[in-house]
Amino acid sequence: MEIVSTPPPAFPDGQPEEQQPKWRRDFPVDVEADEYGARRDFTKFLVLTSLAFACGQLWIAMLSVFRRRTFSEQRLTALDELPVGGVLPFHYPTDRDPCLLIRTSEQELLAYSSLCTHLMCPVLPQLHDKQLHCPCHEGFFEAATGRPVAGPPRRPLPRIQIQVREGVVYAVAVEERTS
Amino acid sequence: MSVPESLFFFLDPNRCIGCESCVQACSECDTHKGHSMIHLERVNRYESPQTIPVVCMHCDSPTCAEVCPADAIKRTEDGVVQTARKPRCIACSNCVLACPFGVPKMNTDYELMMKCDMCYDRTSEGKRPMCATVCPSQALFFGTHAEIQALRPRSRSLNTFQFGRQTIHTKVQMMVPREAPVMHIDVAAAWHDPQGEDEQDDPMLSAALFELPVLSN
């Protein structure tokens, strides 16, 4: 018996794979090609996504390198109107940035952003403990430095730089800190 | 593991006696949940008791896989077209309508197309498919070309089929008489034949055989 062994056409029209439409090459019938395509596409996805993330990080880094924030001066209060142990809420640099001005002694003025660095609840001063307290999740900050001492916050409160000229307190700039 | 290259599935409709052993053997297998994947078709129920066992022919260019919109039907390296993959199959029945041999069957309970995969769990280890092990007349034979040549000197194997303008090469071999010329019947010709017989002449289509019982109060 003769066994006729002609190379079988792998496609209905008998044309080679290069001449098939793209959808037919994208959805191969054979298991190996199907799995290979899936692996290749997944690898492509991984590489391109990683590349996108890396470019995004670079973009953010460039932004933070070249960003120059300019702050305007803002009159807060006359020094006489703030007693020792007194606290004055104010907004700086914009109306959406609540801050606290704390007078701990005759000479010492402290000013911090009052947005807790955990989830932006307003912090409340507890000067008898020399602390700032965030009531939302029991976070505590050191009053003297603004650094977190307890609770969920991990970053210090942004410090507002203060100048006192001729008995008047001015907010000058915001000092963003990471530790 | 893959099916040995020397082993082929030979289908000999001449020898089929319609005993349904293959159907029973196939339905006893757990890999397809007890559903029979082999069809025992009657050629012409009014003229003859002749039956044909229909298994998947495992085409080199499987039409079922070509038309699958969900990319669910795949063929292994040894040319065996597997049943639809459950995570992918959307139960659209495209393959059921497209297969020229009428092999795939839609299981609406599972929302899954199920078809013969030549008992891949057995044949990939060199064993014979279940239907071939039980066929008493060996209309279903699994073995080498040399074996079938010794067993059937008056027949030859054929694995090209013509459906319309499509030529199909199959892995499963159909045994045909050695001397007879191969006639490729254009299955689509009847659609374009204006002289076709009236549907009313066909007792099957005129529902003479399948009248619903009339329930009278």
Side-chain angles (χ1 to χ4, degrees):
Chain A
M1 180 195 289
E2 78 290 347
I3 302 170
V4 183
S5 60
T6 53
F11 298 99
D13 55 2
Q15 298 299 317
E17 186 178 1
E18 298 77 37
Q19 298 183 19
Q20 297 298 326
K22 187 175 187 304
W23 66 263
R24 209 188 282 281
R25 281 177 275 131
D26 281 348
F27 298 103
V29 170
D30 287 303
V31 170
E32 294 88 356
D34 182 60
E35 289 175 351
Y36 173 75
R39 279 204 311 273
R40 186 185 50 195
D41 289 349
F42 182 60
T43 312
K44 198 185 291 182
F45 166 79
L46 282 185
V47 170
L48 291 178
T49 312
S50 310
L51 195 66
F53 273 115
C55 291
Q57 293 286 333
L58 274 176
W59 177 244
I60 292 171
M62 298 295 283
L63 279 183
S64 56
V65 163
F66 290 109
R67 184 170 47 203
R68 288 279 174 269
R69 291 186 62 182
T70 56
F71 296 102
S72 57
E73 218 171 67
Q74 180 180 326
R75 180 187 187 278
L76 300 183
T77 176
L79 198 54
D80 302 341
E81 296 172 8
L82 191 64
V84 173
V87 176
L88 174 77
F90 64 100
H91 289 83
Y92 182 80
T94 69
D95 284 348
R96 297 175 52 83
D97 304 306
C99 305
L100 290 177
L101 176 65
I102 309 167
R103 186 169 188 181
T104 52
S105 67
E106 284 290 341
Q107 302 302 322
E108 193 182 32
L109 281 169
L110 300 171
Y112 298 109
S113 163
S114 69
L115 291 180
C116 173
T117 53
H118 174 224
L119 286 176
M120 298 173 80
C121 285
V123 296
L124 306 171
Q126 287 185 350
L127 294 182
H128 56 276
D129 290 334
K130 297 189 171 55
Q131 280 180 332
L132 300 169
H133 173 222
C134 176
C136 288
H137 306 98
E138 295 300 318
F140 289 91
F141 298 89
E142 213 173 359
T145 59
R147 292 204 170 83
V149 290
R154 288 288 175 268
R155 287 167 294 132
L157 294 169
R159 184 198 293 273
I160 312 295
Q161 292 177 358
I162 296 293
Q163 280 185 4
V164 183
R165 291 198 302 272
E166 299 162 5
V168 181
V169 184
Y170 296 93
V172 179
V174 179
E175 183 189 346
E176 300 268 3
R177 301 174 299 170
T178 53
S179 62
Chain B
M1 298 297 290
S2 59
V3 180
E5 287 184 14
S6 60
L7 296 180
F8 290 90
F9 202 155
F10 296 95
L11 224 64
D12 200 344
N14 282 315
R15 301 181 68 88
C16 181
I17 57 173
C19 67
E20 307 235 8
S21 299
C22 52
V23 176
Q24 185 60 34
C26 191
S27 63
E28 285 181 13
C29 190
D30 274 342
T31 55
H32 36 74
K33 304 287 184 289
H35 297 272
S36 175
M37 294 291 109
I38 188 170
H39 316 307
L40 198 68
E41 305 287 358
R42 277 164 177 74
V43 180
N44 188 342
R45 196 190 284 266
Y46 314 114
E47 309 291 337
S48 149
Q50 178 66 54
T51 50
I52 292 184
V54 177
V55 296
C56 176
M57 303 297 284
H58 300 289
C59 312
D60 290 330
S61 172
T63 310
C64 56
E66 295 284 348
V67 303
C68 179
D71 206 26
I73 307 172
K74 293 294 161 210
R75 182 182 53 187
T76 50
E77 60 200 344
D78 41 22
V80 176
V81 183
Q82 302 287 337
T83 197
R85 296 184 173 183
K86 179 68 179 120
R88 294 186 181 184
C89 180
I90 58 172
C92 68
S93 294
N94 265 12
C95 50
V96 178
L97 299 169
C99 174
F101 300 101
V103 169
K105 284 283 182 277
M106 182 56 58
N107 190 320
T108 48
D109 289 343
Y110 303 155
E111 292 187 345
L112 175 68
M113 182 278 279
M114 297 170 74
K115 65 179 270 298
C116 158
D117 60 356
M118 219 165 77
C119 285
Y120 197 67
D121 54 333
R122 295 171 56 82
T123 49
S124 60
E125 295 180 357
K127 297 179 180 177
R128 293 182 294 164
M130 287 301 280
C131 52
T133 62
V134 299
C135 184
S137 59
Q138 291 194 326
L140 299 155
F141 181 84
F142 189 74
T144 61
H145 273 283
E147 287 173 345
I148 198 79
Q149 194 173 350
L151 284 167
R152 316 261 195 280
R154 293 168 55 195
S155 300
R156 63 190 176 95
S157 61
L158 178 83
N159 72 335
T160 52
F161 300 88
Q162 194 76 31
F163 287 94
R165 288 194 299 257
Q166 186 184 9
T167 306
I168 297 181
H169 301 261
T170 63
K171 182 180 173 67
V172 177
Q173 314 274 317
M174 185 76 80
M175 300 304 288
V176 295
R178 178 173 287 281
E179 279 77 24
V182 176
M183 291 188 303
H184 285 300
I185 300 172
D186 186 359
V187 292
W191 299 344
H192 312 293
D193 183 12
Q195 303 303 319
E197 59 181 18
D198 189 7
E199 282 188 5
Q200 295 306 314
D201 297 338
D202 189 335
M204 195 79 97
L205 287 174
S206 62
L209 292 179
F210 300 104
E211 283 184 351
L212 293 172
V214 179
L215 299 177
S216 57
N217 295 331

